């Protein structure tokens, strides 16, 4: 990503302020920007003319209204959804200022609705029941399936009825641990239909991580499958769930039912380990249930789901989203950021185990009545052309993915792309980490044949939906910039003292005022919610990201400024990896930092001190990595273990990660002042062991 970082560095040293307003005005007045701005890529007139937001002027008009009159702006949009009872007189109420009391965000309070109804029944009732909701593509080419909106509704109802039968009521938690079978979004929708709170755990998490989440939210039911084949590997999910359920039961949290989908393509039913009384096959019970199920009508502020995510300290936290605001926000961001039209076929490569799969595989697209491709497999299996084969097969018109995938396919060469037509593509999207300009250009020129605008969407688990994103027909794009805020969003860049900086600048990215999709709390820990997100810079929501704004007002995300690492777009807390490492009996201490990685964006680099007398060995290195895989999941395995006889600490015992980051990235002449260390000689020892 170095070209991106260089770009950002040069941005941040330019004098501030100059030019921004005049350039924006130039755009708004329809003048073309100065031609020396060769990095500016304009949407084609044919694209803009059909776009929902065809020009910067139109954007500015809508954006200004959304800021001046959020209540009016959002209630107009919300009126397009079905509400059994309209919300109360106050469209929203908020306090984002910790100095004024507890943080509180509410949207459409008093409004009674149901998101599953709005995703499914609404479309079926308006005559669109025969439209395809899901095209499913299995791991093996040639294995596929589809469901129309009516069929999806029946499947969801059957599962919802089953869940009610086993005692799931409004407000109960259900954990879903499934791969990308259609049963995954079906399970999410079945929960929301009956007011249950789903918590999807990405099926790459280990038994230990799953157990932690089970113990935190205490579900009565866990939904899983016996196994899945991903790429050429078979993963035995049920074994992982068994281990997690045993561990949580030992800790006093017993789960009544483990509903298991028999995925016979990957594993025979007979070979699956079974606990009578607790385990039950999905296929034995769900299809026998009625295919109609009454809706549980809920308040806009009733919880919809919990999704655990990593922070800079401590255990993963349960980000809680509620119903009404999330519904309105995910649907609206989906529609505008991808310039969605009813004829589109949309494919997002994210897994429903992450927020992208919640907001932009399941809810956002279905709320719009879209046709969605759900892909079970790995994007490079059986070869690097798989994605484009799928694009051609289903005539995908909107393709949304992560920079890490773009970079890994880019390395395989253009021939894998070019042997497919891809002419159905219209809009491309990127999410998860900053996209470096060279990957952006390849995505744009090669994948999109220089025709398709790219929506580089910046957002987070916490934000529910996009906060900064291009609107593809409106803005000229700059490769690597997420461009401008979505409607209703007021991003601000602050300095270390929390003072807002105007114009051209770089600093910490915060948001002023709430938006409907914002998370409302951390499950069971509102205090942690307030301290983590609202205390660093009082008056604002702090994202944890760094950002610069250029002279034209474009936003450039520069990555996390806290101790969170972003590996292939997956958020991993350094503290979690450290705590996994130190649980190894031979590890005395560990410090983890992120380093630049060509494909993954960031890699995990761990400094490890061993217990006195234990010798370094290759075997031990492997066993430390296995420990992390077992405790968190394979995606969190360190790329590098660096033996550390000592760690650089201040006299008060704080590890100086700044120095570790420099050692990890071999920037040895930029170590800075080491004189405040308790023992400066540890730095030389570490450097000496760099390649050990
Ligand atoms: C990063 C994923 C730059 C960012 C939706 C954020 C991005 C974290 C972008 C959230 C983007 C996500 N450009 N950085 N377009 N999108 N990020 O919660 O550091 O898994 O804070 O949500 O990913 O990760 P999360």
């Amino acid at each position: 990503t170095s070209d991106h970082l260089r770009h950002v560095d040069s941005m941040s040293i330019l004098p501030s302020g100059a030019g921004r307003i005049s350039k924006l005005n130039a755009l708004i007045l329809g003048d073309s920007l100065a031609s020396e701005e060769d990095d500016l890529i304009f949407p084609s007139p044919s694209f803009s003319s059909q776009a929902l937001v065809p020009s910067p002027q139109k954007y500015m008009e809508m954006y200004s209204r959304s800021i001046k009159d959020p209540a009016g702006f959002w209630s107009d949009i919300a009126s397009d959804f079905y509400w059994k009872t309209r919300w109360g007189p106050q469209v929203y109420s908020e306090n984002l200022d910790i100095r004024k009391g507890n943080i509180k965000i509410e949207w459409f309070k008093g409004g009674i609705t149901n998101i599953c109804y709005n995703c499914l029944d609404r479309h079926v009732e308006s005559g669109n029941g025969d439209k395809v909701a899901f095209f499913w593509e299995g791991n093996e080419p040639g294995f596929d399936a589809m469901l129309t909106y009516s069929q999806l509704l029946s499947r969801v109802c059957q599962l919802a009825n089953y869940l009610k039968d086993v005692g799931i009521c409004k407000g109960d938690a259900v954990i879903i641990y499934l791969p990308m079978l259609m049963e995954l979004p079906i399970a999410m929708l079945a929960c929301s239909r009956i007011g249950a709170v789903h918590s999807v755990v990405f099926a790459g998490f280990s038994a230990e991580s799953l157990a932690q989440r089970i113990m935190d939210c205490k579900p009565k039911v866990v939904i899983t499958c016996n196994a899945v084949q991903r790429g050429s590997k078979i993963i035995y999910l049920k074994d992982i769930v068994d281990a997690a359920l045993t561990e949580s039961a030992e800790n006093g949290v017993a789960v009544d039912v483990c509903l298991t989908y028999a995925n016979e393509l990957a594993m025979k039913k007979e070979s699956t380990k079974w606990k009578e009384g607790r385990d039950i096959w999905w296929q034995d019970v769900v299809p026998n249930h009625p295919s109609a199920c009454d809706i549980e009508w809920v308040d806009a502020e009733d919880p919809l789901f919990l999704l655990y995510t990593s922070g800079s300290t401590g255990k993963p936290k349960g980000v809680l989203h509620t119903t009404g605001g999330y519904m309105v926000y995910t649907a609206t961001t989906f529609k505008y950021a991808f310039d969605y039209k009813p004829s589109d076929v949309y494919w997002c490569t994210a897994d429903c185990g992450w927020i992208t799969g919640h907001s932009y595989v399941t809810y956002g697209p279905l709320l719009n009545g879209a046709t969605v491709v759900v892909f079970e497999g790995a994007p490079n299996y059986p070869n690097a052309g798989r994605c484009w084969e799928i694009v051609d097969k289903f005539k995908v018109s909107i393709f949304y993915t992560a920079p890490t995938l773009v970079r890994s396919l880019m390395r395989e060469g253009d021939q894998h792309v070019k042997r497919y037509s891809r002419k159905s593509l219209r809009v491309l999207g990127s999410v998860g980490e900053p996209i470096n300009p060279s990957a952006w250009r390849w995505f744009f020129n090669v994948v999109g044949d220089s025709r398709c605008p790219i929506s580089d969407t910046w957002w987070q688990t916490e934000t529910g939906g996009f906060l900064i994103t291009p609107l593809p027909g409106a803005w000229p794009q700059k490769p690597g910039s997420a461009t401008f805020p979505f409607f209703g969003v007021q991003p601000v860049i602050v300095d270390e003292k929390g003072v807002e900086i105007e114009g051209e600048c770089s600093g910490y990215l915060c948001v002023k005022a709430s938006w409907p999709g914002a998370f409302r709390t951390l499950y069971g820990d509102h205090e942690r919610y307030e301290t983590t997100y609202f205390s660093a810079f009082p008056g604002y929501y702090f994202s944890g990201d760094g950002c610069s704004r250029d002279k034209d007002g474009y936003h450039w995300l520069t990555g996390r400024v806290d101790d969170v690492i972003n590996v292939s777009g997956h958020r991993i807390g350094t503290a979690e990896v450290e705590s996994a490492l130190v649980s190894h009996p031979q590890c005395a201490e560990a410090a983890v930092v992120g380093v630049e990685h060509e494909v993954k964006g960031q890699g995990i680099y761990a400094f490890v001190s061993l217990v006195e007398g234990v010798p370094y060995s290759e075997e031990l290195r492997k066993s430390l990595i296995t420990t992390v895989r077992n405790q968190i999941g394979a995606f969190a395995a360190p790329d590098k273990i660096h033996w550390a006889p000592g760690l650089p600490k201040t006299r008060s015992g704080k590890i100086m990660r700044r120095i570790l980051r420099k050692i990890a990235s071999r920037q040895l002449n930029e170590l800075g002042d080491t004189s405040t260390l308790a023992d400066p000689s540890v730095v030389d020892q570490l450097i000496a062991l760099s390649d050990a």
Side-chain angles (χ1 to χ4, degrees):
T1 59
S2 54
D3 50 353
H4 175 65
L5 297 178
R6 258 202 309 280
H7 191 103
V8 168
D9 279 343
S10 71
M11 286 293 171
S12 58
I13 53 168
L14 289 166
S16 80
R20 178 187 172 207
I21 302 303
S22 61
K23 282 290 166 54
L24 267 181
N25 279 337
L27 284 174
I28 291 159
L29 297 171
D31 297 348
S32 61
L33 286 180
S35 57
E36 76 267 19
E37 300 272 3
D38 51 1
D39 254 2
L40 222 44
I41 295 172
F42 285 82
S44 69
S46 63
F47 188 95
S48 285
S49 62
Q50 59 80 60
L52 296 171
V53 182
S55 62
Q57 296 90 307
K58 181 69 186 164
Y59 163 86
M60 284 307 271
E61 201 181 288
M62 293 175 74
Y63 181 74
S64 311
R65 173 166 186 235
S66 75
I67 301 304
K68 283 194 210 120
D69 176 23
F73 180 87
W74 288 111
S75 50
D76 280 358
I77 290 179
S79 302
D80 288 344
F81 295 81
Y82 179 78
W83 301 82
K84 192 157 182 63
T85 308
R86 204 179 154 87
W87 49 92
Q90 232 182 333
V91 176
Y92 71 102
S93 71
E94 66 180 15
N95 174 38
L96 267 58
D97 191 338
I98 193 80
R99 295 162 301 195
K100 295 188 182 148
N102 290 115
I103 303 299
K104 186 182 114 183
I105 299 171
E106 284 179 348
W107 281 84
F108 311 112
K109 178 89 181 150
I112 305 293
T113 188
N114 180 287
I115 196 170
C116 174
Y117 180 86
N118 277 286
C119 283
L120 304 178
D121 308 60
R122 192 167 51 113
H123 305 309
V124 173
E125 285 164 17
S126 64
N128 285 314
D130 291 336
K131 184 171 180 183
V132 175
F134 289 140
F135 281 124
W136 178 79
E137 170 83 1
N139 184 64
E140 296 299 323
F143 282 88
D144 53 27
M146 59 174 251
L147 288 178
T148 63
Y149 270 86
S150 309
Q151 291 167 332
L152 177 60
L153 174 60
S154 315
R155 298 279 189 97
V156 166
C157 286
Q158 288 180 321
L159 178 60
N161 280 320
Y162 168 76
L163 291 174
K164 285 210 285 199
D165 258 17
V166 295
I168 298 294
C169 300
K170 182 179 168 194
D172 288 344
V174 172
I175 280 198
I176 304 170
Y177 186 75
L178 280 171
M180 286 298 276
L181 302 168
M182 285 193 284
E183 282 66 22
L184 174 43
I186 287 173
M188 296 164 74
L189 291 159
C191 290
S192 58
R193 187 168 194 87
I194 60 174
V197 181
H198 58 73
S199 182
V200 183
V201 178
F202 171 60
F205 275 109
S206 67
E208 190 91 11
S209 294
L210 178 58
Q212 217 175 56
R213 286 154 176 77
I214 291 172
M215 290 186 286
D216 193 65
C217 74
K218 306 182 177 61
K220 285 190 190 160
V221 175
V222 171
I223 305 179
T224 188
C225 74
N226 53 350
V228 66
Q229 185 176 339
R230 202 175 141 76
S232 48
K233 263 201 315 234
I234 295 189
I235 304 152
Y236 297 95
L237 294 185
K238 178 67 164 50
D239 289 349
I240 298 172
V241 174
D242 284 346
L245 290 176
T246 305
E247 180 173 345
S248 53
E250 279 165 7
N251 287 284
V253 179
V255 171
D256 303 340
V257 177
C258 177
L259 181 67
T260 309
Y261 184 83
N263 191 18
E264 298 221 64
L265 287 177
M267 182 188 200
K268 290 265 156 289
K269 260 169 110 171
E270 306 82 78
S271 355
T272 310
K273 287 195 209 86
W274 212 242
K275 186 168 168 187
E276 285 305 332
R278 183 196 69 189
D279 300 347
I280 186 132
W281 290 114
W282 174 307
Q283 285 93 331
D284 286 351
V285 288
V286 176
N288 310 334
H289 279 74
S291 55
C293 171
D294 286 345
I295 304 275
E296 180 76 39
W297 298 104
V298 301
D299 190 278
E301 283 302 335
D302 279 336
L304 173 63
F305 68 84
L306 278 179
L307 184 58
Y308 288 86
T309 191
S310 295
S312 44
T313 55
K315 282 194 213 144
K317 34 197 188 180
V319 166
L320 184 111
H321 283 283
T322 57
T323 304
Y326 177 85
M327 171 172 85
V328 171
Y329 198 71
T330 52
T332 310
T333 45
F334 173 81
K335 174 173 157 186
Y336 287 106
F338 296 130
D339 188 47
Y340 171 73
K341 305 286 157 53
S343 55
D344 279 312
V345 175
Y346 165 81
W347 179 23
C348 166
T349 62
D351 190 291
C352 286
W354 309 105
I355 190 67
T356 307
H358 283 63
S359 303
Y360 301 108
V361 173
T362 307
Y363 292 115
L366 296 181
L367 285 163
N368 281 280
T371 295
V372 181
V373 174
V374 174
F375 176 44
E376 178 194 38
N380 53 2
Y381 175 85
N383 60 61
R386 185 71 188 278
C387 287
W388 323 119
E389 182 189 327
I390 295 173
V391 164
D392 281 359
K393 175 171 175 180
F394 297 110
K395 309 255 179 312
V396 171
S397 56
I398 305 173
F399 176 70
Y400 185 35
T401 193
T404 183
L405 180 70
V406 174
R407 286 191 296 264
S408 76
L409 295 179
M410 182 172 144
R411 292 219 305 196
E412 305 285 336
D414 299 3
Q415 71 278 12
H416 295 287
V417 187
K418 297 221 159 122
R419 67 172 191 269
Y420 296 97
S421 118
R422 293 159 286 112
K423 67 172 190 292
S424 54
L425 288 174
R426 204 166 78 72
V427 178
L428 303 173
S430 170
V431 60
E433 48 169 320
I435 180 163
N436 46 307
S438 58
W440 195 102
R441 284 202 184 82
W442 184 82
F443 199 26
F444 182 78
N445 292 326
V446 180
V447 174
D449 283 329
S450 313
R451 278 186 297 113
C452 311
I454 298 179
S455 284
D456 173 9
T457 61
W458 175 79
W459 61 298
Q460 309 178 295
T461 304
E462 293 86 343
T463 70
F466 309 148
L467 292 196
I468 301 183
T469 177
L471 300 185
W475 292 109
Q477 301 197 293
K478 296 189 184 188
S481 166
T483 72
F484 296 97
F486 192 73
F487 305 132
V489 176
Q490 300 182 59
V492 293
I493 298 178
V494 303
D495 63 15
E496 344 33 285
K497 297 199 192 75
V499 178
E500 243 178 81
I501 25 189
E502 295 287 332
E504 197 177 342
C505 61
S506 58
Y508 302 97
L509 181 59
C510 292
V511 188
K512 184 158 70 173
S514 76
W515 61 98
F519 67 140
R520 305 299 199 247
T521 190
L522 292 178
Y523 179 66
D525 202 348
H526 198 70
E527 201 180 317
R528 188 173 174 202
Y529 171 75
E530 296 181 331
T531 47
T532 310
Y533 301 98
F534 298 93
S535 300
F537 302 113
Y540 304 110
Y541 163 73
F542 173 46
S543 66
D545 279 331
C547 182
S548 37
R549 192 165 45 210
D550 70 16
K551 57 191 188 310
D552 302 320
Y554 282 67
H555 292 82
W556 299 81
L557 278 299
T558 54
R560 302 287 305 197
V561 294
D562 54 8
D563 292 320
V564 171
I565 318 183
N566 193 328
V567 181
S568 302
H570 299 158
R571 252 169 94 164
I572 298 165
T574 50
E576 286 170 70
V577 182
E578 287 162 4
S579 104
L581 288 168
V582 298
S583 75
H584 190 287
Q586 288 167 321
C587 173
E589 205 173 6
V592 168
V593 295
V595 283
E596 205 176 287
H597 187 287
E598 220 185 307
V599 173
K600 299 197 265 187
Q602 281 192 301
I604 302 181
Y605 196 112
F607 292 87
V608 172
S609 304
L610 297 176
V611 168
E612 199 59 41
V614 174
Y616 306 133
S617 72
E618 205 41 45
E619 203 182 320
L620 182 51
R621 200 192 295 267
K622 285 197 187 116
S623 128
L624 284 161
I625 291 175
T626 307
T627 304
V628 179
R629 296 173 81 99
N630 291 343
Q631 292 214 0
I632 305 176
F635 63 92
D639 295 276
K640 166 89 186 172
I641 303 270
H642 186 137
W643 301 123
L647 290 168
K649 289 183 187 166
T650 59
R651 289 188 194 96
S652 59
K654 198 171 168 326
I655 294 176
M656 290 190 72
R657 285 165 198 280
R658 172 178 62 79
I659 294 176
L660 292 177
R661 278 190 209 107
K662 296 291 178 196
I663 296 175
S665 57
R666 304 288 184 272
Q667 294 168 299
L668 301 180
N669 44 12
E670 292 172 28
L671 290 178
D673 183 13
T674 55
S675 65
T676 56
L677 292 175
D679 176 8
S681 73
V682 297
V683 173
D684 298 323
Q685 284 176 345
L686 283 177
I687 294 172
L689 280 166
S690 274
D691 294 302

